[in-house]
Amino acid sequence: MLFNIHTMDWDPELCKYFGIPMEILPRVRSSSEIYGLMKSGALSGIPISGVSINQFYWCLGDQSAALVGQMCFQDGQAKNTYGTGCFLLRNTGPKPVMSDHGLLTTVAYKLGRDKPACYALEGSVAIAGAVVRWLQDNLGIIGSSEELEKLAASVGTSYGCYFVPAFSGLYAPYWEPSARGVICGLTQFTNKSHLAFAALEAVYSLLLFRSHTDTDHPLHSGIPLTQLLMQLQADILCIPVVKPSMPETTALGAAMAAGAAEGVSVWSLNPDDLSEVTSEKFEPQINPEESEFRYARWKKAVQKSMNWETTELPSIFCSVPLGFYIMGSMLMLIGANYIAGWCPPS
């Protein structure tokens, strides 16, 4: 919260506002350079030139490292990765792009001390793989993630059932902390297979469809939870989606940045020097009209999840029948007290 992504340095105004002396902050370094040497052990003397350790300590953030690992170096290329949550980064090149669709503008990477920074649009969904765990542990309708895909594939549709897993609010593109999870569109024919399909559909619908309208280029790179999930993405986005054969792209991206650092230079990250990524491509299998219809129904379900948690206490007069009942009871009580206190002359 103290970093200025435009100047690529600590922001004096923010530091002053939060009362943090700028001299105590570390020097800002690029994502790919020699930061120091190992001092002991078997690796003594080995340079440290690339680090990605979650969001607390990094020179290349874990999501940015995955962007590098998937070789999304061109403006418009993007990656989508899944863990407990779902995270999308879209390369926007050397100039920051402000999103009109609820995504965040961030620094993607700076691959060298004298290299320009590259920016990205970022979106996140709190619940992705956690949906599978919830269905398994809380509802007990599946025994494993593999079983989820089998159930969903057996029906090939949610049969009008929509699942919004806003267990801790909605992130991109809605940013609504008061939302809570809902399952709607249920009929007497809905079964656990339809719910499994709706759960897979829910993983990406919150984020991906809207994100690709922020630039002129399609989203075309991602890592799947399942094969079916990849096909669902391609269908709803109406563009090809690529699944790389190397799934651990966060670790790969950190290694790529480390090896390309000046003074190490065991390989080049120049796009012209990179080899073709081994991957599997998923083409859309539904028409745009069906895609639009399914996404419109999904958005309707999302609206149902909004504003469940609120600090405002409802007024007793919000409900007309309840208001009449309370007012009538008060008038009857007053009348009864008046009659009890009046006695006729003997």
Side-chain angles (χ1 to χ4, degrees):
M1 291 180 65
L2 303 175
F3 192 73
N4 187 318
I5 66 171
H6 302 283
T7 64
M8 294 299 294
D9 208 342
W10 306 115
D11 190 286
E13 187 176 349
L14 288 173
C15 290
K16 181 179 179 181
Y17 179 82
F18 287 107
I20 297 177
M22 293 187 67
E23 59 270 17
I24 71 171
L25 298 175
R27 182 161 63 93
V28 176
R29 306 287 288 268
S30 74
S31 307
S32 177
E33 62 178 274
I34 295 177
Y35 313 113
L37 303 176
M38 294 292 291
K39 288 191 172 182
S40 62
L43 298 179
S44 179
I46 298 295
I48 300 172
S49 51
V51 181
S52 178
I53 309 176
N54 65 48
Q55 67 269 35
F56 300 108
Y57 174 68
W58 48 265
C59 293
L60 189 65
D62 50 356
Q63 301 309 319
S64 296
L67 190 73
V68 172
Q70 298 224 43
M71 301 187 190
C72 295
F73 294 117
Q74 301 297 322
D75 183 355
Q77 291 182 322
K79 70 87 192 171
N80 194 45
T81 50
Y82 297 96
T84 301
C86 170
F87 301 91
L88 176 139
L89 249 69
R90 184 188 191 96
N91 191 321
T92 60
K95 293 185 179 180
V97 174
M98 298 298 114
S99 173
D100 294 324
H101 300 90
L103 302 183
L104 306 177
T105 303
T106 187
V107 178
Y109 50 77
K110 186 177 186 294
L111 297 176
R113 190 178 304 173
D114 301 320
K115 299 292 182 65
C118 186
Y119 293 87
L121 288 172
E122 181 175 14
S124 59
V125 169
I127 303 297
V131 171
V132 180
R133 180 63 64 182
W134 184 79
L135 292 173
Q136 180 177 330
D137 295 345
N138 293 38
L139 295 192
I141 68 172
I142 59 171
S144 66
S145 58
E146 291 78 14
E147 188 177 344
L148 178 69
E149 183 177 19
K150 289 179 181 178
L151 282 174
S154 69
V155 288
T157 176
S158 66
Y159 200 76
C161 172
Y162 289 89
F163 180 12
V164 183
F167 299 151
S168 54
L170 289 169
Y171 287 14
Y174 302 98
W175 304 110
E176 180 53 68
S178 69
R180 288 297 179 267
V182 298
I183 300 173
C184 54
L186 298 173
T187 71
Q188 61 180 331
F189 300 107
T190 305
N191 58 39
K192 65 180 182 179
S193 296
H194 299 120
L195 184 58
F197 191 96
L200 285 181
E201 209 168 31
V203 167
Y204 66 88
S205 291
L206 284 170
L207 180 64
L208 294 183
F209 188 84
R210 185 167 292 192
S211 70
H212 84 284
T213 61
D214 275 307
T215 68
D216 297 331
H217 302 279
L219 182 151
H220 58 87
S221 185
I223 298 178
L225 275 170
T226 68
Q227 300 291 100
L228 178 59
L229 179 62
M230 294 298 285
Q231 187 59 57
L232 286 172
Q233 288 190 25
D235 289 344
I236 295 300
L237 291 169
C238 294
I239 57 174
V241 175
V242 175
K243 170 197 169 186
S245 58
M246 167 56 178
E248 299 298 336
T249 49
T250 297
L252 175 62
M256 289 168 63
E262 183 180 355
V264 180
S265 305
V266 294
W267 49 65
S268 168
L269 295 186
N270 188 314
D272 296 333
D273 299 329
L274 297 173
S275 59
E276 187 74 18
V277 178
T278 305
S279 60
E280 181 180 0
K281 183 179 288 188
F282 294 78
E283 299 284 350
Q285 295 181 353
I286 65 175
N287 59 51
E289 290 75 20
E290 183 180 350
S291 171
E292 289 287 347
F293 173 78
R294 285 165 61 177
Y295 188 66
R297 295 291 293 270
W298 163 260
K299 289 194 292 185
K300 185 176 180 180
V302 169
Q303 292 303 314
K304 302 291 185 184
S305 74
M306 300 287 195
N307 302 314
W308 280 88
E309 287 295 321
T310 177
T311 56
E312 297 179 5
L313 295 176
S315 169
I316 61 172
F317 299 105
C318 299
S319 168
V320 173
L322 178 61
F324 277 127
Y325 174 79
I326 294 176
M327 291 297 295
S329 299
M330 292 175 63
L331 290 173
M332 289 176 65
L333 181 60
I334 293 171
N337 287 334
Y338 176 78
I339 293 171
W342 178 77
C343 295
S346 55

